[in-house]
Amino acid sequence: MLKNKTALITGSTSGIGLGIAKALAAQGANIVLNGFGDAETPQKEISALGAKVAYHGADMSKPAEIEAMMAFAAEKFGHVDILVNNAGIQHVARIEDFPVEKWDAIMAINLSSAFHATRLALPAMQKTNWGRIINVASVHGLVASAEKSAYVAAKHAVVGLTKVTALENATSGVTCNAICPGWVLTPLVQKQVDAKAAALGLSNDEAKKQLLKEKEPSLQFTTPEELGALAVFFCSPAGDNVRGVAWNMDGGWAAQ
Ligand code: NAD
């Protein structure tokens, strides 16, 4: 379905970004990966699906590096048809204890990077009159949790940015939507599982169950594969008129 389309997924060396990249690769899209850590293994995994793959290590907190990454993608594959703004970090602390540099980093990586990549991707999408911008927000783009001020503020703002992007392109073939996952067992969440296990003297399994019980009625983690399938739906012809939604895949978290 996505042959001859190019998808750039930020923060795709791990977790949800890699899951979405694999789902789009399986549909035939060329893939541009981004993120820190081991970039070799994810590239091999995408190649094994028969897709063309490239990697750029831009630090998404730095606008000049985002510009370089978008220019790299255009040089490699012509232009970006599908942009998935996914890179994100977390820090957990009460507001009065929240480190100022963590606030700034979360705003830059979880929010401003999506603005920069979007503003740079839009002109080529508008020219071809086809584009998909998928912002990986969070259930925390819809509801709050204590001790996550920067994350919740950034994710609510990502949902707002999604709506504005959708409206500004509403009469074109360019759509923008947000995905709002509940708990997904990635390194970002494993850190929170570890913190709970240490604080309450629980095993890894007990801490996972506790985390789910607090927020997610299904008592199941959402998976990167399920989120990848939702991204594929947004890219399908059936998604042509899905615009500006914040679609939760959260086991009932936000329904409470
Ligand atoms: P993860 O830690 O597995 O992956 C994060 C990715 O972002 C990695 O590839 C990492 O290298 C990259 N990254 C981090 N800082 C970066 C930077 N400055 N520049 C470039 N890349 C950077 O986490 P994940 O759980 O897969 O999170 C992905 C997205 O999903 C985030 O936006 C997160 O907020 C969101 N999300 C996660 C969950 C969850 O439960 N895991 C739930 C809702 C939303």
PDB file of all heavy atoms in Angstrom, residues 153-190:
ATOM      1  N   ALA A 153       2.020  18.517  30.134  1.00  0.00           N
ATOM      2  CA  ALA A 153       1.886  19.811  29.440  1.00  0.00           C
ATOM      3  C   ALA A 153       2.315  19.669  27.983  1.00  0.00           C
ATOM      4  O   ALA A 153       1.631  20.146  27.065  1.00  0.00           O
ATOM      5  CB  ALA A 153       2.727  20.874  30.149  1.00  0.00           C
ATOM      6  N   ALA A 154       3.435  18.991  27.746  1.00  0.00           N
ATOM      7  CA  ALA A 154       3.934  18.829  26.369  1.00  0.00           C
ATOM      8  C   ALA A 154       2.957  17.992  25.543  1.00  0.00           C
ATOM      9  O   ALA A 154       2.668  18.321  24.388  1.00  0.00           O
ATOM     10  CB  ALA A 154       5.314  18.179  26.385  1.00  0.00           C
ATOM     11  N   LYS A 155       2.438  16.916  26.120  1.00  0.00           N
ATOM     12  CA  LYS A 155       1.548  16.026  25.350  1.00  0.00           C
ATOM     13  C   LYS A 155       0.190  16.681  25.074  1.00  0.00           C
ATOM     14  O   LYS A 155      -0.386  16.485  24.004  1.00  0.00           O
ATOM     15  CB  LYS A 155       1.376  14.683  26.064  1.00  0.00           C
ATOM     16  CG  LYS A 155       2.672  13.860  26.153  1.00  0.00           C
ATOM     17  CD  LYS A 155       3.204  13.462  24.787  1.00  0.00           C
ATOM     18  CE  LYS A 155       4.379  12.495  24.877  1.00  0.00           C
ATOM     19  NZ  LYS A 155       4.898  12.130  23.537  1.00  0.00           N
ATOM     20  N   HIS A 156      -0.353  17.456  26.044  1.00  0.00           N
ATOM     21  CA  HIS A 156      -1.577  18.224  25.744  1.00  0.00           C
ATOM     22  C   HIS A 156      -1.300  19.196  24.590  1.00  0.00           C
ATOM     23  O   HIS A 156      -2.143  19.379  23.709  1.00  0.00           O
ATOM     24  CB  HIS A 156      -2.058  18.998  26.974  1.00  0.00           C
ATOM     25  CG  HIS A 156      -2.948  18.201  27.891  1.00  0.00           C
ATOM     26  ND1 HIS A 156      -2.516  17.116  28.611  1.00  0.00           N
ATOM     27  CD2 HIS A 156      -4.263  18.344  28.206  1.00  0.00           C
ATOM     28  CE1 HIS A 156      -3.524  16.615  29.324  1.00  0.00           C
ATOM     29  NE2 HIS A 156      -4.600  17.349  29.100  1.00  0.00           N
ATOM     30  N   ALA A 157      -0.132  19.810  24.601  1.00  0.00           N
ATOM     31  CA  ALA A 157       0.224  20.756  23.537  1.00  0.00           C
ATOM     32  C   ALA A 157       0.382  20.042  22.195  1.00  0.00           C
ATOM     33  O   ALA A 157       0.010  20.591  21.152  1.00  0.00           O
ATOM     34  CB  ALA A 157       1.511  21.498  23.900  1.00  0.00           C
ATOM     35  N   VAL A 158       0.899  18.831  22.206  1.00  0.00           N
ATOM     36  CA  VAL A 158       1.019  18.062  20.957  1.00  0.00           C
ATOM     37  C   VAL A 158      -0.369  17.791  20.373  1.00  0.00           C
ATOM     38  O   VAL A 158      -0.562  17.876  19.155  1.00  0.00           O
ATOM     39  CB  VAL A 158       1.798  16.737  21.192  1.00  0.00           C
ATOM     40  CG1 VAL A 158       1.627  15.780  20.020  1.00  0.00           C
ATOM     41  CG2 VAL A 158       3.275  17.023  21.430  1.00  0.00           C
ATOM     42  N   VAL A 159      -1.335  17.502  21.234  1.00  0.00           N
ATOM     43  CA  VAL A 159      -2.708  17.299  20.742  1.00  0.00           C
ATOM     44  C   VAL A 159      -3.226  18.605  20.121  1.00  0.00           C
ATOM     45  O   VAL A 159      -3.848  18.600  19.051  1.00  0.00           O
ATOM     46  CB  VAL A 159      -3.638  16.782  21.872  1.00  0.00           C
ATOM     47  CG1 VAL A 159      -5.100  16.792  21.430  1.00  0.00           C
ATOM     48  CG2 VAL A 159      -3.218  15.368  22.293  1.00  0.00           C
ATOM     49  N   GLY A 160      -2.914  19.732  20.727  1.00  0.00           N
ATOM     50  CA  GLY A 160      -3.313  21.037  20.166  1.00  0.00           C
ATOM     51  C   GLY A 160      -2.636  21.295  18.829  1.00  0.00           C
ATOM     52  O   GLY A 160      -3.288  21.711  17.852  1.00  0.00           O
ATOM     53  N   LEU A 161      -1.350  21.020  18.758  1.00  0.00           N
ATOM     54  CA  LEU A 161      -0.600  21.203  17.501  1.00  0.00           C
ATOM     55  C   LEU A 161      -1.186  20.311  16.398  1.00  0.00           C
ATOM     56  O   LEU A 161      -1.288  20.725  15.232  1.00  0.00           O
ATOM     57  CB  LEU A 161       0.888  20.855  17.744  1.00  0.00           C
ATOM     58  CG  LEU A 161       1.804  20.876  16.526  1.00  0.00           C
ATOM     59  CD1 LEU A 161       1.961  22.295  15.982  1.00  0.00           C
ATOM     60  CD2 LEU A 161       3.187  20.297  16.879  1.00  0.00           C
ATOM     61  N   THR A 162      -1.586  19.107  16.778  1.00  0.00           N
ATOM     62  CA  THR A 162      -2.194  18.158  15.825  1.00  0.00           C
ATOM     63  C   THR A 162      -3.451  18.774  15.201  1.00  0.00           C
ATOM     64  O   THR A 162      -3.651  18.712  13.986  1.00  0.00           O
ATOM     65  CB  THR A 162      -2.585  16.850  16.571  1.00  0.00           C
ATOM     66  OG1 THR A 162      -1.416  16.307  17.164  1.00  0.00           O
ATOM     67  CG2 THR A 162      -3.223  15.847  15.636  1.00  0.00           C
ATOM     68  N   LYS A 163      -4.299  19.378  16.055  1.00  0.00           N
ATOM     69  CA  LYS A 163      -5.556  19.948  15.552  1.00  0.00           C
ATOM     70  C   LYS A 163      -5.282  21.115  14.609  1.00  0.00           C
ATOM     71  O   LYS A 163      -5.925  21.246  13.566  1.00  0.00           O
ATOM     72  CB  LYS A 163      -6.430  20.408  16.725  1.00  0.00           C
ATOM     73  CG  LYS A 163      -6.950  19.246  17.571  1.00  0.00           C
ATOM     74  CD  LYS A 163      -7.715  19.759  18.789  1.00  0.00           C
ATOM     75  CE  LYS A 163      -8.169  18.620  19.673  1.00  0.00           C
ATOM     76  NZ  LYS A 163      -8.741  19.087  20.937  1.00  0.00           N
ATOM     77  N   VAL A 164      -4.325  21.976  14.977  1.00  0.00           N
ATOM     78  CA  VAL A 164      -4.020  23.136  14.124  1.00  0.00           C
ATOM     79  C   VAL A 164      -3.451  22.664  12.790  1.00  0.00           C
ATOM     80  O   VAL A 164      -3.851  23.153  11.719  1.00  0.00           O
ATOM     81  CB  VAL A 164      -3.027  24.093  14.827  1.00  0.00           C
ATOM     82  CG1 VAL A 164      -2.618  25.230  13.883  1.00  0.00           C
ATOM     83  CG2 VAL A 164      -3.647  24.677  16.096  1.00  0.00           C
ATOM     84  N   THR A 165      -2.542  21.691  12.811  1.00  0.00           N
ATOM     85  CA  THR A 165      -1.954  21.168  11.572  1.00  0.00           C
ATOM     86  C   THR A 165      -3.057  20.583  10.684  1.00  0.00           C
ATOM     87  O   THR A 165      -3.072  20.795   9.467  1.00  0.00           O
ATOM     88  CB  THR A 165      -0.901  20.082  11.893  1.00  0.00           C
ATOM     89  OG1 THR A 165       0.003  20.597  12.870  1.00  0.00           O
ATOM     90  CG2 THR A 165      -0.126  19.683  10.650  1.00  0.00           C
ATOM     91  N   ALA A 166      -3.986  19.851  11.309  1.00  0.00           N
ATOM     92  CA  ALA A 166      -5.090  19.256  10.540  1.00  0.00           C
ATOM     93  C   ALA A 166      -5.955  20.341   9.902  1.00  0.00           C
ATOM     94  O   ALA A 166      -6.309  20.255   8.724  1.00  0.00           O
ATOM     95  CB  ALA A 166      -5.939  18.374  11.449  1.00  0.00           C
ATOM     96  N   LEU A 167      -6.274  21.386  10.675  1.00  0.00           N
ATOM     97  CA  LEU A 167      -7.159  22.449  10.154  1.00  0.00           C
ATOM     98  C   LEU A 167      -6.506  23.234   9.024  1.00  0.00           C
ATOM     99  O   LEU A 167      -7.148  23.543   8.027  1.00  0.00           O
ATOM    100  CB  LEU A 167      -7.533  23.416  11.285  1.00  0.00           C
ATOM    101  CG  LEU A 167      -8.511  22.889  12.335  1.00  0.00           C
ATOM    102  CD1 LEU A 167      -8.793  23.968  13.387  1.00  0.00           C
ATOM    103  CD2 LEU A 167      -9.805  22.419  11.691  1.00  0.00           C
ATOM    104  N   GLU A 168      -5.220  23.550   9.197  1.00  0.00           N
ATOM    105  CA  GLU A 168      -4.545  24.361   8.175  1.00  0.00           C
ATOM    106  C   GLU A 168      -4.424  23.625   6.839  1.00  0.00           C
ATOM    107  O   GLU A 168      -4.187  24.248   5.812  1.00  0.00           O
ATOM    108  CB  GLU A 168      -3.160  24.796   8.666  1.00  0.00           C
ATOM    109  CG  GLU A 168      -3.243  25.855   9.760  1.00  0.00           C
ATOM    110  CD  GLU A 168      -1.896  26.388  10.224  1.00  0.00           C
ATOM    111  OE1 GLU A 168      -0.849  25.992   9.677  1.00  0.00           O
ATOM    112  OE2 GLU A 168      -1.889  27.211  11.141  1.00  0.00           O
ATOM    113  N   ASN A 169      -4.586  22.292   6.852  1.00  0.00           N
ATOM    114  CA  ASN A 169      -4.440  21.498   5.628  1.00  0.00           C
ATOM    115  C   ASN A 169      -5.723  20.743   5.279  1.00  0.00           C
ATOM    116  O   ASN A 169      -5.699  19.799   4.493  1.00  0.00           O
ATOM    117  CB  ASN A 169      -3.268  20.520   5.797  1.00  0.00           C
ATOM    118  CG  ASN A 169      -1.946  21.273   5.909  1.00  0.00           C
ATOM    119  OD1 ASN A 169      -1.399  21.689   4.898  1.00  0.00           O
ATOM    120  ND2 ASN A 169      -1.475  21.488   7.126  1.00  0.00           N
ATOM    121  N   ALA A 170      -6.825  21.178   5.873  1.00  0.00           N
ATOM    122  CA  ALA A 170      -8.069  20.386   5.817  1.00  0.00           C
ATOM    123  C   ALA A 170      -8.614  20.190   4.403  1.00  0.00           C
ATOM    124  O   ALA A 170      -9.284  19.194   4.137  1.00  0.00           O
ATOM    125  CB  ALA A 170      -9.137  21.021   6.707  1.00  0.00           C
ATOM    126  N   THR A 171      -8.354  21.126   3.492  1.00  0.00           N
ATOM    127  CA  THR A 171      -8.906  20.957   2.131  1.00  0.00           C
ATOM    128  C   THR A 171      -7.898  20.289   1.200  1.00  0.00           C
ATOM    129  O   THR A 171      -8.100  20.245  -0.004  1.00  0.00           O
ATOM    130  CB  THR A 171      -9.323  22.321   1.537  1.00  0.00           C
ATOM    131  OG1 THR A 171      -8.168  23.171   1.543  1.00  0.00           O
ATOM    132  CG2 THR A 171     -10.447  22.963   2.331  1.00  0.00           C
ATOM    133  N   SER A 172      -6.822  19.780   1.763  1.00  0.00           N
ATOM    134  CA  SER A 172      -5.790  19.132   0.945  1.00  0.00           C
ATOM    135  C   SER A 172      -5.726  17.640   1.266  1.00  0.00           C
ATOM    136  O   SER A 172      -6.481  17.121   2.101  1.00  0.00           O
ATOM    137  CB  SER A 172      -4.432  19.771   1.236  1.00  0.00           C
ATOM    138  OG  SER A 172      -3.897  19.239   2.433  1.00  0.00           O
ATOM    139  N   GLY A 173      -4.793  16.966   0.630  1.00  0.00           N
ATOM    140  CA  GLY A 173      -4.583  15.530   0.893  1.00  0.00           C
ATOM    141  C   GLY A 173      -3.613  15.274   2.031  1.00  0.00           C
ATOM    142  O   GLY A 173      -3.120  14.161   2.189  1.00  0.00           O
ATOM    143  N   VAL A 174      -3.359  16.327   2.809  1.00  0.00           N
ATOM    144  CA  VAL A 174      -2.437  16.176   3.947  1.00  0.00           C
ATOM    145  C   VAL A 174      -3.257  16.090   5.228  1.00  0.00           C
ATOM    146  O   VAL A 174      -4.003  17.014   5.555  1.00  0.00           O
ATOM    147  CB  VAL A 174      -1.470  17.380   4.030  1.00  0.00           C
ATOM    148  CG1 VAL A 174      -0.512  17.219   5.206  1.00  0.00           C
ATOM    149  CG2 VAL A 174      -0.701  17.548   2.716  1.00  0.00           C
ATOM    150  N   THR A 175      -3.130  14.982   5.955  1.00  0.00           N
ATOM    151  CA  THR A 175      -3.858  14.846   7.220  1.00  0.00           C
ATOM    152  C   THR A 175      -2.875  14.832   8.391  1.00  0.00           C
ATOM    153  O   THR A 175      -1.697  14.530   8.221  1.00  0.00           O
ATOM    154  CB  THR A 175      -4.696  13.542   7.277  1.00  0.00           C
ATOM    155  OG1 THR A 175      -3.803  12.424   7.423  1.00  0.00           O
ATOM    156  CG2 THR A 175      -5.561  13.364   6.047  1.00  0.00           C
ATOM    157  N   CYS A 176      -3.386  15.176   9.548  1.00  0.00           N
ATOM    158  CA  CYS A 176      -2.568  15.113  10.767  1.00  0.00           C
ATOM    159  C   CYS A 176      -3.439  14.585  11.903  1.00  0.00           C
ATOM    160  O   CYS A 176      -4.558  15.086  12.115  1.00  0.00           O
ATOM    161  CB  CYS A 176      -2.030  16.501  11.111  1.00  0.00           C
ATOM    162  SG  CYS A 176      -1.030  16.492  12.617  1.00  0.00           S
ATOM    163  N   ASN A 177      -2.938  13.566  12.573  1.00  0.00           N
ATOM    164  CA  ASN A 177      -3.662  12.966  13.697  1.00  0.00           C
ATOM    165  C   ASN A 177      -2.687  12.580  14.799  1.00  0.00           C
ATOM    166  O   ASN A 177      -1.487  12.434  14.549  1.00  0.00           O
ATOM    167  CB  ASN A 177      -4.424  11.722  13.217  1.00  0.00           C
ATOM    168  CG  ASN A 177      -5.533  12.089  12.243  1.00  0.00           C
ATOM    169  OD1 ASN A 177      -6.536  12.679  12.622  1.00  0.00           O
ATOM    170  ND2 ASN A 177      -5.332  11.775  10.965  1.00  0.00           N
ATOM    171  N   ALA A 178      -3.224  12.407  15.995  1.00  0.00           N
ATOM    172  CA  ALA A 178      -2.385  12.002  17.124  1.00  0.00           C
ATOM    173  C   ALA A 178      -2.778  10.612  17.600  1.00  0.00           C
ATOM    174  O   ALA A 178      -3.949  10.226  17.531  1.00  0.00           O
ATOM    175  CB  ALA A 178      -2.537  12.996  18.266  1.00  0.00           C
ATOM    176  N   ILE A 179      -1.788   9.887  18.077  1.00  0.00           N
ATOM    177  CA  ILE A 179      -2.013   8.582  18.706  1.00  0.00           C
ATOM    178  C   ILE A 179      -1.728   8.757  20.192  1.00  0.00           C
ATOM    179  O   ILE A 179      -0.708   9.342  20.565  1.00  0.00           O
ATOM    180  CB  ILE A 179      -1.060   7.521  18.109  1.00  0.00           C
ATOM    181  CG1 ILE A 179      -1.366   7.291  16.631  1.00  0.00           C
ATOM    182  CG2 ILE A 179      -1.151   6.226  18.890  1.00  0.00           C
ATOM    183  CD1 ILE A 179      -0.477   6.244  15.959  1.00  0.00           C
ATOM    184  N   CYS A 180      -2.639   8.261  21.022  1.00  0.00           N
ATOM    185  CA  CYS A 180      -2.513   8.460  22.467  1.00  0.00           C
ATOM    186  C   CYS A 180      -2.455   7.113  23.194  1.00  0.00           C
ATOM    187  O   CYS A 180      -3.485   6.597  23.658  1.00  0.00           O
ATOM    188  CB  CYS A 180      -3.703   9.278  22.975  1.00  0.00           C
ATOM    189  SG  CYS A 180      -3.775  10.921  22.250  1.00  0.00           S
ATOM    190  N   PRO A 181      -1.255   6.532  23.299  1.00  0.00           N
ATOM    191  CA  PRO A 181      -1.158   5.234  23.969  1.00  0.00           C
ATOM    192  C   PRO A 181      -1.269   5.344  25.480  1.00  0.00           C
ATOM    193  O   PRO A 181      -0.885   6.358  26.073  1.00  0.00           O
ATOM    194  CB  PRO A 181       0.257   4.739  23.609  1.00  0.00           C
ATOM    195  CG  PRO A 181       0.796   5.695  22.583  1.00  0.00           C
ATOM    196  CD  PRO A 181       0.045   6.981  22.761  1.00  0.00           C
ATOM    197  N   GLY A 182      -1.791   4.278  26.092  1.00  0.00           N
ATOM    198  CA  GLY A 182      -1.662   4.098  27.543  1.00  0.00           C
ATOM    199  C   GLY A 182      -0.279   3.520  27.816  1.00  0.00           C
ATOM    200  O   GLY A 182       0.683   3.856  27.147  1.00  0.00           O
ATOM    201  N   TRP A 183      -0.187   2.604  28.798  1.00  0.00           N
ATOM    202  CA  TRP A 183       1.119   2.006  29.104  1.00  0.00           C
ATOM    203  C   TRP A 183       1.584   1.083  27.968  1.00  0.00           C
ATOM    204  O   TRP A 183       0.847   0.198  27.548  1.00  0.00           O
ATOM    205  CB  TRP A 183       1.058   1.154  30.367  1.00  0.00           C
ATOM    206  CG  TRP A 183       0.830   1.842  31.681  1.00  0.00           C
ATOM    207  CD1 TRP A 183      -0.170   1.563  32.561  1.00  0.00           C
ATOM    208  CD2 TRP A 183       1.624   2.853  32.303  1.00  0.00           C
ATOM    209  NE1 TRP A 183      -0.050   2.354  33.681  1.00  0.00           N
ATOM    210  CE2 TRP A 183       1.040   3.151  33.542  1.00  0.00           C
ATOM    211  CE3 TRP A 183       2.780   3.559  31.914  1.00  0.00           C
ATOM    212  CZ2 TRP A 183       1.555   4.112  34.419  1.00  0.00           C
ATOM    213  CZ3 TRP A 183       3.293   4.514  32.789  1.00  0.00           C
ATOM    214  CH2 TRP A 183       2.685   4.781  34.016  1.00  0.00           C
ATOM    215  N   VAL A 184       2.796   1.303  27.502  1.00  0.00           N
ATOM    216  CA  VAL A 184       3.452   0.418  26.533  1.00  0.00           C
ATOM    217  C   VAL A 184       4.775   0.015  27.163  1.00  0.00           C
ATOM    218  O   VAL A 184       5.522   0.890  27.627  1.00  0.00           O
ATOM    219  CB  VAL A 184       3.713   1.150  25.187  1.00  0.00           C
ATOM    220  CG1 VAL A 184       4.227   0.180  24.140  1.00  0.00           C
ATOM    221  CG2 VAL A 184       2.442   1.860  24.703  1.00  0.00           C
ATOM    222  N   LEU A 185       5.060  -1.277  27.204  1.00  0.00           N
ATOM    223  CA  LEU A 185       6.247  -1.725  27.940  1.00  0.00           C
ATOM    224  C   LEU A 185       7.514  -1.506  27.122  1.00  0.00           C
ATOM    225  O   LEU A 185       8.040  -2.419  26.488  1.00  0.00           O
ATOM    226  CB  LEU A 185       6.099  -3.195  28.342  1.00  0.00           C
ATOM    227  CG  LEU A 185       7.095  -3.658  29.407  1.00  0.00           C
ATOM    228  CD1 LEU A 185       7.006  -2.797  30.666  1.00  0.00           C
ATOM    229  CD2 LEU A 185       6.855  -5.116  29.755  1.00  0.00           C
ATOM    230  N   THR A 186       8.004  -0.265  27.119  1.00  0.00           N
ATOM    231  CA  THR A 186       9.237   0.115  26.419  1.00  0.00           C
ATOM    232  C   THR A 186      10.244   0.549  27.488  1.00  0.00           C
ATOM    233  O   THR A 186       9.880   0.680  28.674  1.00  0.00           O
ATOM    234  CB  THR A 186       8.961   1.304  25.484  1.00  0.00           C
ATOM    235  OG1 THR A 186       8.604   2.429  26.313  1.00  0.00           O
ATOM    236  CG2 THR A 186       7.835   1.028  24.502  1.00  0.00           C
ATOM    237  N   PRO A 187      11.503   0.858  27.093  1.00  0.00           N
ATOM    238  CA  PRO A 187      12.470   1.324  28.085  1.00  0.00           C
ATOM    239  C   PRO A 187      11.965   2.529  28.895  1.00  0.00           C
ATOM    240  O   PRO A 187      12.249   2.657  30.090  1.00  0.00           O
ATOM    241  CB  PRO A 187      13.690   1.695  27.236  1.00  0.00           C
ATOM    242  CG  PRO A 187      13.601   0.780  26.044  1.00  0.00           C
ATOM    243  CD  PRO A 187      12.133   0.626  25.769  1.00  0.00           C
ATOM    244  N   LEU A 188      11.162   3.408  28.237  1.00  0.00           N
ATOM    245  CA  LEU A 188      10.635   4.601  28.927  1.00  0.00           C
ATOM    246  C   LEU A 188       9.759   4.210  30.120  1.00  0.00           C
ATOM    247  O   LEU A 188       9.795   4.836  31.177  1.00  0.00           O
ATOM    248  CB  LEU A 188       9.851   5.440  27.905  1.00  0.00           C
ATOM    249  CG  LEU A 188       9.241   6.770  28.311  1.00  0.00           C
ATOM    250  CD1 LEU A 188       9.332   7.774  27.158  1.00  0.00           C
ATOM    251  CD2 LEU A 188       7.785   6.642  28.726  1.00  0.00           C
ATOM    252  N   VAL A 189       8.980   3.137  29.965  1.00  0.00           N
ATOM    253  CA  VAL A 189       8.077   2.705  31.040  1.00  0.00           C
ATOM    254  C   VAL A 189       8.788   1.749  32.000  1.00  0.00           C
ATOM    255  O   VAL A 189       8.512   1.748  33.204  1.00  0.00           O
ATOM    256  CB  VAL A 189       6.801   2.084  30.436  1.00  0.00           C
ATOM    257  CG1 VAL A 189       6.036   1.243  31.444  1.00  0.00           C
ATOM    258  CG2 VAL A 189       5.889   3.202  29.926  1.00  0.00           C
ATOM    259  N   GLN A 190       9.737   0.964  31.462  1.00  0.00           N
ATOM    260  CA  GLN A 190      10.458   0.026  32.342  1.00  0.00           C
ATOM    261  C   GLN A 190      11.142   0.794  33.481  1.00  0.00           C
ATOM    262  O   GLN A 190      11.186   0.320  34.614  1.00  0.00           O
ATOM    263  CB  GLN A 190      11.474  -0.795  31.528  1.00  0.00           C
ATOM    264  CG  GLN A 190      12.155  -1.907  32.331  1.00  0.00           C
ATOM    265  CD  GLN A 190      11.186  -2.929  32.945  1.00  0.00           C
ATOM    266  OE1 GLN A 190      10.305  -3.428  32.257  1.00  0.00           O
ATOM    267  NE2 GLN A 190      11.325  -3.226  34.225  1.00  0.00           N
TER     268      GLN A 190
END
